[in-house]
Amino acid sequence: KDRHSSILQHNGGGFMAEKNYVVTITEILKRKVPVKAKNIMDAQYKVECDYHAEKHVLDADDYVETLFKAEVA
């Protein structure tokens, strides 16, 4: 049997039942967008609107890091 499909896993002389887990993968992308605006709130609003209109589409060039978090299912 494939060790990944086995219900039991060898653990230092004994056997331990496998449990179900969920692993969340989060990729973080980041881009700085220059913008002219009347104030900081206006600047953020303009970029958010452009983002939702798909004028700023982040891609692999904007990659920062990948995070993994495991938890019991």
Side-chain angles (χ1 to χ4, degrees):
K1 273 188 174 179
D2 180 324
R3 74 178 186 89
H4 295 290
S5 64
S6 175
I7 294 174
L8 298 177
Q9 180 177 334
H10 185 60
N11 183 19
F15 286 93
M16 183 174 166
E18 290 185 347
K19 296 179 182 179
N20 292 318
Y21 297 91
V22 175
V23 178
T24 302
I25 303 169
T26 303
E27 287 189 338
I28 299 174
L29 307 177
K30 181 166 57 172
R31 178 184 297 173
K32 292 186 178 183
V33 178
V35 61
K36 288 189 180 216
K38 295 176 185 174
N39 56 50
I40 196 164
M41 290 175 49
D42 185 41
Q44 183 168 326
Y45 177 77
K46 286 181 175 187
V47 174
E48 284 183 21
C49 287
D50 286 350
Y51 174 81
H52 291 295
E54 298 183 3
K55 293 180 181 177
H56 304 292
V57 179
L58 281 64
D59 58 27
D61 292 334
D62 302 301
Y63 174 81
V64 175
E65 68 179 311
T66 304
L67 305 171
F68 297 88
K69 181 179 180 185
E71 54 193 342
V72 177

